[in-house]
Amino acid sequence: MSIMSQEQLQAALAARERISKLLAPNPFADDDGSTPAALAAALSAQLPRPQFLRELVAAIAATRLIVPVPAHGLEEPAAAVAVEIGKPGGHKPHQNDPAQDAASLALHLDDGHIAMPVFSSQADMQAWRTDVRPAPVTPQRAAQVACLSTDQIWVLNPATDNIRIPRPAVISLSQAQKWVPSWENEQLQAELKEQLMAYKAMVNVAFEAGETSELRIYALIDRSCGKEEMLDAVEGAQQVLVNPDWANRVDHVEICPILWPIEQ
């Protein structure tokens, strides 16, 4: 009786895993490629941006997404529909995982970040590129690949809706956790406030959803402390906010210094 080597055992286990995946029931067998009803409702909702984004991410978490899979043997990407937020990058050879294929078609955003394109429907994908085929995936798997292969960002329907899904939301989805936006996250705000209030001239801080950023911070600064202390507070606040420890919890932050007392 021969004994398997370690390499043979690993190969056998890998083959069994591949066969198990092939024989597993397809949860998307009846998917017709259209936008799921709950996701369509979230996309069409007329809400202020913060509420819209929160409800959209919640709808995504409860449904499926479509990711683009490049054709076998495609060496150069075909011309893509121009989108304001970014442009398509090149791709690597075809992967077994559809979500990995989507990451290989990453978008290069105007701010220098790399994002993974995801879609609510086949039609939205074809509006972006016609030389790729659709593959339905769970939002968790699409988020996991985005976290590993891009800058942990999605762009949903880049040629139509063109919605950037922020990094903390994608990270939460990758872990199958509910996303709590930074402007509603009391624990996050308390931790930020504690660090910001360490500066002598800082009187108070307040938070709200930003218009172009994810989070806006109002910093009330005591003008009676003098110029040096005021500058120290502003520069210190900026240093706090660029700390990479916050990157997974809040995407873009803007700080608005306000001198106190406010002159009439």
Side-chain angles (χ1 to χ4, degrees):
M1 180 179 176
S2 61
I3 299 175
M4 276 189 175
S5 67
Q6 186 66 26
E7 292 77 8
Q8 289 173 323
L9 178 60
Q10 290 177 348
L13 291 173
R16 186 175 70 176
E17 183 179 357
R18 288 196 298 271
I19 292 172
S20 297
K21 288 182 178 179
L22 288 172
L23 296 178
N26 181 2
F28 308 111
D30 298 326
D31 195 323
D32 64 1
S34 61
T35 302
L39 185 50
L43 283 167
S44 61
Q46 300 298 312
L47 294 172
R49 178 182 172 276
Q51 291 91 328
F52 172 83
L53 198 55
R54 180 190 61 207
E55 296 302 317
L56 177 62
V57 172
I60 289 173
T63 185
R64 65 93 180 102
L65 290 170
I66 285 178
V67 296
V69 178
H72 289 276
L74 189 63
E75 295 180 355
E76 294 294 336
V81 176
V83 286
E84 182 179 352
I85 199 167
K87 56 186 178 181
H91 63 76
K92 301 173 186 177
H94 186 79
Q95 305 286 334
N96 290 324
D97 185 343
Q100 289 285 2
D101 280 323
S104 74
L105 296 170
L107 300 170
H108 297 276
L109 308 187
D110 292 339
D111 62 4
H113 286 101
I114 298 174
M116 178 171 167
V118 295
F119 300 87
S120 61
S121 72
Q122 182 175 344
D124 286 292
M125 187 199 72
Q126 290 178 335
W128 176 63
R129 285 179 61 159
T130 58
D131 62 339
V132 292
R133 59 183 179 86
V137 297
T138 65
Q140 182 178 11
R141 182 55 188 152
Q144 288 170 344
V145 171
C147 289
L148 290 172
S149 304
T150 71
D151 289 329
Q152 304 173 316
I153 301 168
W154 284 344
V155 175
L156 176 64
N157 299 338
T160 51
D161 299 296
N162 197 25
I163 300 170
R164 177 173 172 152
I165 306 298
R167 178 183 294 109
V170 175
I171 292 172
S172 294
L173 289 166
S174 75
Q175 300 167 352
Q177 296 178 351
K178 180 181 178 181
W179 175 50
V180 181
S182 58
W183 60 87
E184 297 177 356
N185 191 326
E186 294 181 359
Q187 180 180 348
L188 169 67
Q189 293 177 16
E191 292 175 20
L192 273 172
K193 183 173 182 177
E194 181 180 5
Q195 292 194 26
L196 294 172
M197 291 298 293
Y199 295 92
K200 180 179 178 181
M202 197 72 70
V203 177
N204 202 358
V205 294
F207 305 88
E208 70 174 11
E211 294 182 7
T212 56
S213 63
E214 180 185 337
L215 183 67
R216 176 182 293 160
I217 302 176
Y218 293 101
L220 205 61
I221 297 174
D222 187 353
R223 66 171 71 240
S224 68
C225 287
K227 183 177 180 180
E228 184 174 342
E229 292 288 353
M230 290 191 293
L231 287 175
D232 183 54
V234 173
E235 292 174 0
Q238 292 172 341
Q239 289 301 312
V240 168
L241 297 174
V242 299
N243 188 323
D245 291 343
W246 299 108
N248 292 349
R249 304 177 67 187
V250 56
D251 200 351
H252 288 81
V253 181
E254 62 176 313
I255 186 165
C256 302
I258 301 173
L259 296 181
W260 180 263
I262 299 174
E263 294 181 341
Q264 301 297 325

